[in-house]
Amino acid sequence: YYYGVLWNKLYRKEIIDRYAVKMDEELSFCEDFVFNLEYLLHTKSIMPLAIPIYYYVKTEGSLVAKNMNLPHIVKMKTSIYEYYDQFFMKILSEEEYSAERMNIARFFISAANDDMNIALLPSTKKLGEEKVQAYYHEEGKPTLLELSYYLRKYMERYLNDVALLHNLDRKDIWVFYTIYRTNALHSIKEIEDFTSLSHTAVMLSLQKLFASGYIKLQLDQIPIDITITSRADKIIKDIEKACHEAEEECLKGFEQKDKLAEELNEFYKKLKDSLPKEEI
């Protein structure tokens, strides 16, 4: 669905003018999809963004909504599928077309399920969940507890961008971050404590990371054995970049960054020394 629409893309007007790419006025459904196919013929490179920057709202009584009756949908989708098939027959050789027939058929199957978002499926996400919520109150001087809350939310915002880039949820990236940054995890309870997630949430995230090939799991022993695989190298690189950017943003305006870092390290050392040894 998002492959075919216009509203989540930017186009070069020069290409549209030079090759006279335009809408088919005879189509009242998926005309933007056909437009995109014609436009793609004249492009050399396309840059996708994994982070949502635009939100689409269906309004009651809109042109799209009025045309959403079943017979009309079937008729229009059939005509689009015919065009799509002919499009590839035109641009591909007979051998290439034969090799790509499965991909073309796969598109037909996925496109037939447009607008059928089923909750809990991995491919389905609820709009708005990618935002990091934070609540700020200006009354009085913030306490240490409030500051820790804001710092965590601030870091969560940066890590959330990493999660979106790799098709992970915010909980998944926190669990992965904990595994990556903590060298000696002894139990699932430790991950729960560090991430402030429930046992169920941690286990679901571990299963997702394992299924994606980012970690190897061995949970039936103590200490638990969780190993990060080479497939997660890109995630680690993006996490390090996010942490660096967050630190740079926090220290923006400070001339003596090294001195400030030393003071922060000293503060954390005193904080750690003040805790009872059995709680460390």
Side-chain angles (χ1 to χ4, degrees):
Y1 176 75
Y2 296 103
Y3 173 73
V5 299
L6 301 180
W7 49 261
N8 62 356
K9 300 175 182 65
L10 290 174
Y11 300 87
R12 289 193 179 276
K13 186 175 183 296
E14 178 187 356
I15 294 177
I16 294 174
D17 291 341
R18 181 187 300 175
Y19 299 102
V21 183
K22 60 181 181 180
M23 296 285 188
D24 187 338
E25 296 182 7
E26 295 183 2
L27 295 176
S28 60
F29 182 71
C30 283
E31 68 276 13
D32 43 4
F33 173 69
V34 175
F35 175 91
N36 280 329
L37 288 179
E38 296 292 338
Y39 183 88
L40 287 172
L41 289 174
H42 311 293
T43 58
K44 293 182 179 179
S45 61
I46 297 172
M47 178 63 69
L49 297 178
I51 299 173
I53 57 174
Y54 187 100
Y55 291 89
Y56 182 85
V57 179
K58 282 187 177 180
T59 56
E60 188 175 348
S62 67
L63 179 63
V64 173
K66 288 177 180 177
N67 288 325
M68 287 298 104
N69 60 78
L70 186 59
H72 183 73
I73 291 174
V74 172
K75 180 181 177 181
M76 296 308 298
K77 283 196 173 185
T78 301
S79 65
I80 293 301
Y81 296 160
E82 290 175 356
Y83 171 86
Y84 186 80
D85 202 33
Q86 293 169 6
F87 175 84
F88 279 100
M89 289 180 70
K90 181 173 62 176
I91 67 171
L92 298 176
S93 67
E94 190 172 335
E95 293 79 12
E96 290 172 330
Y97 179 78
S98 296
E100 293 294 332
R101 285 189 67 183
M102 287 301 296
N103 288 330
I104 295 172
R106 191 177 295 112
F107 167 80
F108 290 159
I109 294 171
S110 62
N113 292 321
D114 278 357
D115 299 327
M116 293 181 64
N117 290 331
I118 303 174
L120 301 180
L121 286 183
S123 60
T124 302
K125 287 188 177 181
K126 182 179 179 181
L127 287 177
E129 288 185 348
E130 69 282 352
K131 294 181 180 179
V132 175
Q133 299 294 329
Y135 302 93
Y136 179 68
H137 304 281
E138 293 189 38
E139 299 177 3
K141 186 178 178 180
T143 64
L144 186 61
L145 183 61
E146 289 174 293
L147 288 175
S148 65
Y149 166 79
Y150 298 137
L151 282 171
R152 185 178 181 86
K153 285 293 182 179
Y154 187 75
M155 193 62 226
E156 188 175 311
R157 192 189 82 183
Y158 278 86
L159 288 180
N160 193 56
D161 290 345
V162 179
L164 289 169
L165 285 171
H166 296 277
N167 196 31
L168 296 172
D169 292 330
R170 193 181 310 154
K171 295 176 182 178
D172 304 332
I173 204 67
W174 267 113
V175 171
F176 182 87
Y177 179 82
T178 304
I179 298 168
Y180 168 58
R181 296 294 296 178
T182 308
N183 297 323
L185 287 169
H186 289 82
S187 66
I188 298 297
K189 182 65 179 175
E190 290 184 35
I191 302 178
E192 296 170 20
D193 187 54
F194 192 90
T195 60
S196 298
L197 296 174
S198 68
H199 179 78
T200 302
V202 169
M203 293 304 296
L204 287 173
S205 291
L206 287 174
Q207 290 174 18
K208 185 173 181 179
L209 292 169
F210 174 75
S212 301
Y214 296 135
I215 61 172
K216 292 181 179 179
L217 282 173
Q218 191 70 39
L219 302 180
D220 56 350
Q221 59 185 41
I222 297 177
I224 58 175
D225 185 12
I226 304 178
T227 307
I228 295 176
T229 67
S230 59
R231 188 171 182 178
D233 288 349
K234 185 65 169 63
I235 298 180
I236 292 174
K237 183 178 179 181
D238 289 337
I239 284 177
E240 289 294 338
K241 181 181 177 183
C243 291
H244 176 74
E245 289 177 354
E247 183 179 337
E248 287 293 309
E249 189 67 25
C250 282
L251 298 179
K252 187 183 293 183
F254 287 94
E255 295 180 359
Q256 297 178 324
K257 293 182 181 180
D258 291 339
K259 186 175 185 299
L260 181 64
E262 288 177 7
E263 292 176 356
L264 286 173
N265 286 332
E266 185 63 26
F267 168 76
Y268 286 124
K269 185 177 182 299
K270 289 180 179 178
L271 183 64
K272 180 180 177 181
D273 292 342
S274 68
L275 292 172
K277 295 300 180 183
E278 60 270 17
E279 294 186 11
I280 296 178

